[in-house]
Amino acid sequence: MGTDDALVAEEVTVAFAGVKALDGVTFVCRPGEIVGLIGPNGSGKTTLLNVLSGFLEPAAGVVRFRGGATRGWSPQQYARRGLARTFQGVRPFAQLTVRENIEVGAVGVGASRREARERASDLLDELGLTELAGTWAGILPAGSQRRLGIARALAAEPDFLLLDEPAAGLHEAETDAVIDFIGSLRETRRIGVTLVEHDMRVVMRLCERVQVLDNGITLAEGAPAEIRTNERVLEAYLGTGSVGRAGGS
């Protein structure tokens, strides 16, 4: 399968103070595909998301978006061309309401105020935030902030979405709802999703393909069933929660 319509990192290397956070990593996410990116703490997952979204320029290698190289693109240029992301820390505009935060996500990529209001209304409903629409974003509990982060990213109507730990801080029922919603993006919007997540129940239920990073390199890649029984992956996770025990139906 080709990559002309995909988000691709080719042999990407990133170093901080001489230490390689990524060392020749290649990664692909295609439209309508949900790819899991997992690994122990410090393995390079968020660094790769930062490279894929323009927040970090790799020392070597290239990022390609729909077949074209992206060197020199700013995060805003990625966003306007159809890529959105969330962060481990949601970073809401604390002095704006939930609705206004979502509208900002739309206006930031060129939507009119009317379009922004319409998108916000739809996303408030889809993510179960309607009752909180007029609440200041800065006082939301962690779980609601996570959902707001996803809504704000989707307000840009992206073709590719990078999610950095979307289930962190959610209780089980909220996690199940987020799993269902992210899964629906494949059918309703044909968005390509890259998912960094420590909750293996989320990864195993959502992802068609999983790539495992460890110490800045790709340790393994394959279907969820293959990854959860891969001996090298289990060894990397010893002491941090075995993939083999993590679960979900």
Side-chain angles (χ1 to χ4, degrees):
M1 188 181 297
T3 60
D4 285 349
D5 59 351
L7 175 64
V8 181
E10 296 177 354
E11 297 291 329
V12 164
T13 295
V14 173
F16 299 109
V19 178
K20 289 183 177 179
L22 295 174
D23 189 2
V25 170
T26 292
F27 175 84
V28 179
C29 181
R30 297 178 176 85
E33 182 178 35
I34 302 179
V35 183
L37 192 59
I38 68 171
N41 289 331
S43 59
K45 305 181 297 297
T46 294
T47 299
L48 181 56
L49 289 195
N50 287 338
V51 170
L52 289 169
S53 55
F55 285 88
L56 270 178
E57 192 75 38
V62 64
V63 175
R64 299 190 185 278
F65 190 53
R66 296 177 177 144
T70 66
R71 185 166 294 277
W73 284 16
S74 67
Q76 291 75 24
Q77 287 173 303
Y78 275 93
R80 287 182 175 271
R81 286 167 169 81
L83 183 142
R85 68 166 293 179
T86 65
F87 296 85
Q88 288 180 1
V90 179
R91 307 180 186 179
F93 296 103
Q95 299 306 314
L96 298 181
T97 66
V98 170
R99 174 183 288 276
E100 289 167 341
N101 265 266
I102 300 172
E103 290 177 359
V104 167
V107 171
V109 295
S112 69
R113 292 302 300 269
R114 179 178 177 180
E115 289 172 328
R117 286 193 296 269
E118 290 173 352
R119 293 182 196 180
S121 293
D122 290 342
L123 288 164
L124 286 165
D125 181 57
E126 290 181 69
L127 280 151
L129 291 167
T130 301
E131 292 184 359
L132 298 171
T135 303
W136 300 121
I139 65 172
L140 290 178
S144 298
Q145 285 201 9
R146 288 283 166 192
R147 287 181 285 149
L148 173 57
I150 296 171
R152 192 171 64 188
L154 287 173
E157 296 193 336
D159 299 312
F160 289 89
L161 179 62
L162 311 181
L163 297 174
D164 200 349
E165 299 190 32
L170 303 186
H171 58 62
E172 187 171 354
E174 288 177 317
T175 297
D176 287 339
V178 166
I179 288 172
D180 291 342
F181 180 74
I182 294 172
S184 76
L185 299 177
R186 184 169 31 208
E187 287 75 32
T188 60
R189 293 175 169 89
R190 201 170 176 264
I191 291 177
V193 178
T194 298
L195 175 74
V196 169
E197 183 55 65
H198 287 289
D199 186 338
M200 289 300 107
R201 186 169 67 97
V202 176
V203 174
M204 297 299 163
R205 283 180 57 180
L206 275 175
C207 299
E208 303 144 74
R209 184 162 52 84
V210 179
Q211 184 164 335
V212 186
L213 297 183
D214 187 32
N215 291 318
I217 65 170
T218 296
L219 185 66
E221 184 177 1
E226 298 170 342
I227 293 300
R228 71 188 301 167
T229 58
N230 183 297
E231 290 299 324
R232 294 180 69 199
V233 176
L234 295 177
E235 182 178 348
Y237 267 92
L238 286 177
T240 61
S242 169
V243 174
R245 291 196 303 270
S249 55

